[in-house]
């Protein structure tokens, strides 16, 4: 469960970087498309005030209006692709794009002869690198200060999140082996342990009801009497009972020294529940405050 949690922790960084690079790649292409559309719609007048540049000057005028518009559009595009905070990337990324353009022009000018391709690649690199260096919570957070201060923005302030204090509950620290799930909201008290298991890939935009429906609440406590014959629970295997309702499924697993209760939402797959009930083992390292 820890190796899986680390894998999903790295994925948002890659997604954030690729999404920002996509925005940087799209901006010059949109500017070019707007310029072409403007040249096709705006009638050309050879006697117009184009400074002797003719239709080329007219096109440059359209691009001059398109580029600022697209730079303003960078923030909503980043926000729509869930690059948050979007302005941390939208403000300093053009500076990084200019630097990348200068490097490409001096290093790869013979390889990339098309100027539109060069600008697109430079902005993709600039936006992607800026998104990478401004990822919240990453060790390189301080790299945000220089580009943000260059454009007048405040430097980000890292907030240290203290690890949870885990007193000895006096019971085995039991957890299932569920790849793709992570432990949240851990709490302990004498003779009791409670935590939630949620999919690591669960989208942050889901509603609270959808989040609860995909969650398994685990309660480990000192051994109590198992459900009796007259209870609403049915035996499903030795020392394991189940009760299914419209709001989810509850399992009671009797151990020699503890009783484990699993309360699963209605969207938890049956295969996940089966694995959760059959892989319960003492796993102290899962509850290390520095690894949660």
């Amino acid at each position: 469960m820890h190796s899986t949690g680390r894998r999903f922790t790295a994925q948002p960084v890659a997604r954030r970087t690729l999404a920002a690079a996509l925005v940087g790649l799209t901006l010059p292409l949109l500017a070019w498309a707007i310029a072409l559309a403007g040249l096709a719609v705006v009638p050309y007048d050879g006697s117009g005030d184009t400074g002797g540049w003719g239709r080329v000057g007219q096109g440059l005028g359209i691009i001059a209006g398109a580029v600022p518009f697209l730079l303003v559009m960078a923030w909503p595009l980043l926000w729509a692709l869930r690059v948050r905070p979007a302005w941390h990337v939208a403000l300093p990324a053009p500076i990084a794009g200019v630097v990348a353009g200068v490097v490409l022009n001096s290093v790869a000018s013979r390889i990339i002869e098309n100027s539109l391709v060069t600008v697109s690649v430079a902005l993709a690199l600039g936006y992607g690198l800026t998104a990478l260096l401004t990822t919240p919570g990453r060790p390189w957070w301080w790299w945000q200060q220089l580009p943000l201060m260059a454009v007048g923005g405040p430097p980000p302030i890292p907030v240290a999140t203290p690890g949870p204090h885990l007193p000895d509950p006096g019971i085995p620290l039991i957890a299932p082996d569920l790849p793709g799930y992570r432990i949240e909201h851990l709490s302990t008290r004498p003779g009791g342990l409670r935590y939630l298991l949620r999919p690591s890939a669960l989208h942050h935009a889901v509603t609270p009801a959808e989040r609860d429906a995909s969650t398994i609440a685990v309660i480990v406590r000192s051994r109590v009497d198992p459900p009796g014959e007259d209870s609403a629970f049915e035996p499903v295997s030795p020392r394991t009972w189940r009760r299914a309702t419209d709001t989810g499924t509850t399992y009671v697993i009797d151990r020699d020294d503890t009783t484990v209760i699993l309360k699963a939402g209605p969207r938890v797959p049956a295969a996940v529940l089966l694995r959760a009930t059959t892989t319960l083992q003492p796993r102290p390292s899962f509850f290390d405050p520095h690894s949660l």
Side-chain angles (χ1 to χ4, degrees):
M1 191 152 47
H2 276 304
S3 60
T4 304
R6 286 192 293 268
R7 182 170 69 252
F8 279 106
T9 299
Q11 281 184 347
V13 179
R15 183 196 61 77
R16 171 188 175 89
T17 303
L18 291 176
L22 178 61
V23 172
L25 183 67
T26 303
L27 289 176
L29 299 177
L30 289 177
W32 183 253
I34 291 176
L36 291 180
L39 289 174
V41 174
V42 177
Y44 170 62
D45 182 3
S47 62
D49 297 330
T50 56
W53 288 78
R55 196 166 181 81
V56 174
Q58 199 171 22
L60 291 176
I62 294 174
I63 293 177
V67 171
F69 169 75
L70 291 177
L71 290 178
V72 172
M73 283 299 296
W75 182 90
L77 287 175
L78 291 166
W79 188 88
L81 292 178
R82 297 184 174 85
V83 179
R84 314 287 175 80
W87 68 274
H88 276 198
V89 180
L91 288 180
I95 301 175
V98 170
V99 174
V102 172
V103 173
L104 285 176
N105 188 53
S106 59
V107 175
S109 58
R110 296 182 180 179
I111 301 176
I112 307 176
E113 298 180 355
N114 189 299
S115 58
L116 178 61
V117 174
T118 302
V119 174
S120 299
V121 173
L123 286 183
L125 291 174
Y127 275 78
L129 183 61
T130 304
L132 177 65
L133 296 179
T134 58
T135 302
R138 297 290 98 187
W140 49 76
W141 66 269
W142 56 272
W143 280 88
Q144 300 177 56
Q145 297 191 36
L146 294 179
L148 286 177
M149 292 176 66
V151 295
I157 301 176
V159 179
T161 303
H165 176 63
L166 183 63
D168 184 9
I171 57 172
L173 302 178
I174 294 178
D177 182 16
L178 286 183
Y181 281 73
R182 64 172 180 264
I183 292 176
E184 294 183 0
H185 301 294
L186 172 66
S187 62
T188 63
R189 58 184 178 84
L193 171 71
R194 189 182 189 280
Y195 57 90
L196 301 180
L197 292 173
R198 282 182 175 151
S200 300
L202 192 65
H203 199 282
H204 68 274
V206 299
T207 64
E210 292 172 335
R211 186 179 299 272
D212 293 341
S214 303
T215 299
I216 303 175
V218 183
I219 303 171
V220 185
R221 61 178 61 170
S222 300
R223 189 177 184 277
V224 297
D225 292 335
E229 296 181 356
D230 298 333
S231 71
F233 288 83
E234 58 174 346
V236 292
S237 62
R239 306 178 71 178
T240 302
W241 294 262
R242 177 183 64 191
R243 181 186 180 186
T245 64
D246 294 338
T247 58
T249 305
T250 302
Y251 281 84
V252 177
I253 298 96
D254 182 37
R255 306 290 293 264
D256 292 336
D257 47 3
T258 57
T259 297
V260 183
I261 302 173
L262 278 72
K263 299 181 179 181
R267 290 195 176 184
V268 178
V272 172
L273 278 177
L274 177 61
R275 185 180 179 94
T277 58
T278 56
T279 61
L280 288 168
Q281 294 292 338
R283 307 179 192 273
S285 61
F286 281 13
F287 302 97
D288 180 1
H290 299 290
S291 63
L292 290 174

